[in-house]
Amino acid sequence: MDLFQIALVLAIALLIAIPMGKYIALSLSLERTRLDRVFNPIENFIYKLSGISQSHMNWKQYATALLISNFVMFGLCYLIVRLQGILPFNPSEIGGMEALLSFNTISSFLTNTNLQHYSGESGLSYFSQMTVITFLMMTTPATGLALCIAFIRGISGHKSLGNFYVDLVRSLTRIFIPSSIVVGLLLVGQGVPQTLDPTAIATTLEGEQQQISRGPVASLESIKHLGTNGGGFFGVNAAHPFENPTPFSNVIHMLSMLLIPMAIPFTFGYMTKKRKLSWMLTGAMSIIFLAMLVTIYVQESNGNQVLANIGLSQDAGSMEGKEVRFGIAQSVLFTTVTTAATTGSVNNMHDTLTPLGGFVPLVLMMLNNIFGGDGVGFVNIIMYAILAVFIAGLMVGRTPEFLGRKIDAKEMKLIAITILIHPLIILVPSAIALTTEMGNSAISNASFHGISQVIYEFTSSAANNGSGFEGLGDNTDFWNISTGLVMLFGRYFSMIAMLAVAASLMVKKPVPETIGTIRTDNSTFLVFLIATVLVVGALTFFPVLALGPIAEALTM
């Protein structure tokens, strides 16, 4: 039954991703489509109200518009959480958030990371949840999707990268807002609250009074997963019965997380007319995804040997930190999906996973290209595809080409820098944290698991994921500043570099395909791409994985 549940969810995800991919391509097309009749009046009103010019941008203008808009959002949202104590819709009278925690929180939600060093129901007012958290959950995936579409236009030889503001608005009006309304209504139907009423007071069977937090939860939950965001309205995230009350709501969450990341390869196929290549990319990501899913399922199903040694039954698997209503299958699938899609939402406590079970989300975030977040994850796998073509070209003595354009030193330097930044911003701050009192004082487990806690926190931040090994006491000045900076670096450095790569390839003349051209639409390329991802991506982190989850598993 477990395998049937998992297979059914993944099959449905793929079936709905294919038409969604075509819809995204139509929604963000530079050509006129039938969708314009419905959405143009709304969008033109927004452009006129905002003073937006719809003229095309070069890559520097596109990057500048992206950075400026994000900087403005940062400032406005920072002010709201600092002043929430005097702002409306605050029935619980929650005070303003502390300065460094505010910096970390806004950096987190601005970068589509949603790392939380606070507990949602006690740290933010309804006003902040709606105007900061839900707002950023809309705009940040739209930013990532806009970047991805501009990147696809560039590498496929379109005449323009487009206009950032137009792509942002279209992503919101045509994709995220309509889909989040649908998912939100489904969640309300499953019992997820959507109210502005204050905290409810209930009398328990013992005669004691209990405060039950609630609020505008469904609207946040829908875009939280559709936008691969992950931050929870409540501290325990999707394990909370008000965020995720039923097994069906659990499936809705997972399908929402996978919908756009799985659809974008098909969007790429429609936009470039390279359908076979889109299937090769989907296949490569799916094979690695399934390998990780099998690993965590086997580990969690076999139970925790330490608990078995002290006489606790592990017949149901390792259920520590998991909800009984979800069981092993829906818990491990959720864990794999949320870290593959860099969402960060959790329906079980990752800190209580078995060592090699915890190895899986770590590896998926370290790779950061197995479907990945909305837009940005696909850009990462394309980066590895270009790298694979470059390596293959060196091996056979041909100038590497991708989508009919030659890959030169300029593109490879930018890609190499992007690949190196990811481990750099994980490993350097991790080393600082582990070797200084201000960092390691937050570790709750001094053994190998303590190393995993630190590595997980920075990996989650760099990969714009946001989940955590929550045994780490992370609401300190050191962790708020360090992870805040890592989240910003992990988001924007790669964005700018990839726009530069797209612009460079866009102006190159297409090279006719010959018998010696390295094909990217066959099984040979599929295998070579998987090997490139594993050798270049995974082996970079192998030493630190050996010090953390692998060493912990060997000592159990």
Side-chain angles (χ1 to χ4, degrees):
M1 182 58 73
D2 282 359
L3 297 180
F4 175 76
Q5 290 180 47
I6 292 171
L8 181 62
V9 172
L10 295 179
I12 294 172
L14 181 61
L15 287 175
I16 61 178
I18 296 172
M20 186 64 179
K22 185 174 183 179
Y23 178 76
I24 293 173
L26 290 173
S27 297
L28 298 174
S29 171
L30 295 178
E31 308 296 330
R32 294 188 63 85
T33 69
R34 287 173 293 177
L35 295 174
D36 294 341
R37 300 177 186 176
V38 178
F39 293 104
N40 268 358
I42 302 170
E43 292 160 357
N44 288 334
F45 174 74
I46 295 172
Y47 301 147
K48 185 175 181 179
L49 184 67
S50 307
I52 292 174
S53 168
Q54 299 182 53
S55 58
H56 291 190
M57 296 176 172
N58 60 39
W59 80 269
K60 292 181 180 178
Q61 291 171 327
Y62 203 100
T64 300
L66 186 155
L67 292 173
I68 289 175
S69 63
N70 279 232
F71 177 79
V72 171
M73 287 188 283
F74 182 100
L76 292 174
C77 293
Y78 181 86
L79 286 176
I80 290 173
V81 296
R82 292 283 285 143
L83 300 173
Q84 66 180 354
I86 60 173
L87 294 174
F89 299 109
N90 188 10
S92 299
E93 298 181 353
I94 298 171
M97 187 176 281
E98 185 268 330
L100 289 179
L101 181 56
S102 297
F103 164 74
N104 183 276
T105 300
I106 304 306
S107 298
S108 175
F109 285 86
L110 183 71
T111 58
N112 203 213
T113 307
N114 301 68
L115 185 75
Q116 292 176 284
H117 288 177
Y118 67 93
S119 184
E121 65 267 48
S122 61
L124 292 175
S125 66
Y126 290 174
F127 189 79
S128 294
Q129 293 276 25
M130 292 185 292
T131 62
V132 174
I133 305 305
T134 305
F135 167 73
L136 290 177
M137 282 183 173
M138 284 283 185
T139 55
T140 56
T143 298
L145 184 57
L147 168 90
C148 178
I149 297 300
F151 181 77
I152 293 174
R153 291 172 187 145
I155 64 174
S156 59
H158 278 65
K159 295 180 180 179
S160 169
L161 294 179
N163 180 297
F164 170 73
Y165 297 115
V166 171
D167 290 338
L168 179 71
V169 169
R170 285 188 172 194
S171 296
L172 290 168
T173 57
R174 302 185 182 203
I175 299 168
F176 288 108
I177 292 176
S179 56
S180 65
I181 291 173
V182 172
V183 173
L185 291 173
L186 288 174
L187 292 177
V188 169
Q190 290 298 299
V192 178
Q194 181 67 20
T195 180
L196 293 177
D197 290 341
T199 298
I201 306 297
T203 302
T204 67
L205 293 176
E206 293 80 12
E208 302 293 332
Q209 286 200 332
Q210 179 182 1
Q211 294 185 343
I212 302 175
S213 298
R214 51 186 176 172
V217 183
S219 57
L220 184 147
E221 287 298 303
S222 59
I223 189 58
K224 158 185 167 179
H225 290 112
L226 285 165
T228 61
N229 291 288
F233 192 98
F234 301 97
V236 295
N237 211 284
H240 196 289
F242 281 2
E243 287 196 20
N244 193 6
T246 67
F248 183 60
S249 69
N250 197 59
V251 171
I252 293 172
H253 289 326
M254 289 188 287
L255 292 176
S256 299
M257 283 189 272
L258 287 172
L259 177 60
I260 295 176
M262 288 188 73
I264 290 177
F266 300 108
T267 299
F268 170 80
Y270 286 114
M271 291 181 67
T272 61
K273 296 179 173 57
K274 298 286 185 180
R275 305 286 179 83
K276 288 185 178 179
L277 175 56
S278 70
W279 277 104
M280 290 303 107
L281 295 170
T282 301
M285 292 186 286
S286 298
I287 289 170
I288 298 175
F289 176 92
L290 291 174
M292 293 292 104
L293 177 58
V294 168
T295 300
I296 189 173
Y297 177 77
V298 169
Q299 293 300 315
E300 299 305 308
S301 297
N302 288 339
N304 188 318
Q305 187 59 45
V306 173
L307 297 179
N309 291 341
I310 61 175
L312 296 178
S313 173
Q314 298 295 292
D315 292 342
S318 179
M319 286 299 295
E320 182 188 6
K322 297 179 180 66
E323 290 289 306
V324 175
R325 69 184 189 275
F326 300 140
I328 294 294
Q330 294 299 308
S331 296
V332 300
L333 179 59
F334 200 103
T335 296
T336 310
V337 167
T338 195
T339 46
T342 67
T343 304
S345 175
V346 295
N347 75 347
N348 64 93
M349 184 60 67
H350 288 190
D351 198 39
T352 61
L353 292 170
T354 59
L356 293 183
F359 169 90
V360 168
L362 263 174
V363 170
L364 287 170
M365 292 187 296
M366 287 170 173
L367 294 177
N368 198 24
N369 56 21
I370 309 306
F371 297 113
D374 288 352
V376 179
F378 180 76
V379 172
N380 289 339
I381 195 64
I382 287 291
M383 176 179 66
Y384 274 89
I386 295 174
L387 179 61
V389 168
F390 179 77
I391 295 172
L394 293 179
M395 293 172 67
V396 299
R398 281 190 57 87
T399 301
E401 301 163 10
F402 188 74
L403 296 182
R405 282 159 177 80
K406 289 186 177 181
I407 308 300
D408 294 320
K410 179 181 178 181
E411 292 84 37
M412 290 315 305
K413 287 177 182 177
L414 288 168
I415 289 173
I417 290 171
T418 306
I419 290 174
L420 290 172
I421 284 174
H422 187 59
L424 184 69
I425 60 177
I426 293 172
L427 300 177
V428 171
S430 295
I432 295 172
L434 289 167
T435 55
T436 60
E437 176 62 25
M438 58 185 178
N440 61 41
S441 61
I443 300 173
S444 63
N445 191 320
S447 70
F448 300 114
H449 192 76
I451 296 175
S452 297
Q453 288 178 339
V454 171
I455 297 297
Y456 196 107
E457 188 77 0
F458 285 115
T459 303
S460 178
S461 300
N464 299 141
N465 182 270
S467 62
F469 273 8
E470 295 304 338
L472 193 72
D474 47 25
N475 187 15
T476 66
D477 290 352
F478 171 81
W479 287 99
N480 284 332
I481 294 172
S482 61
T483 55
L485 292 174
V486 167
M487 287 185 283
L488 294 170
F489 294 156
R491 176 76 164 179
Y492 296 111
F493 279 171
S494 61
M495 280 185 161
I496 295 169
M498 289 299 98
L499 277 175
V501 169
S504 178
L505 292 175
M506 183 176 67
V507 298
K508 291 186 176 182
K509 292 182 179 180
V511 178
E513 187 173 310
T514 67
I515 193 171
T517 300
I518 298 172
R519 295 185 60 183
T520 57
D521 59 356
N522 56 22
S523 58
T524 302
F525 177 75
L526 171 69
V527 173
F528 202 79
L529 175 58
I530 293 172
T532 302
V533 170
L534 295 178
V535 171
V536 177
L539 290 186
T540 302
F541 294 98
F542 183 77
V544 75
L545 289 170
L547 291 172
I550 295 175
E552 185 182 0
L554 293 174
T555 55
M556 288 181 66

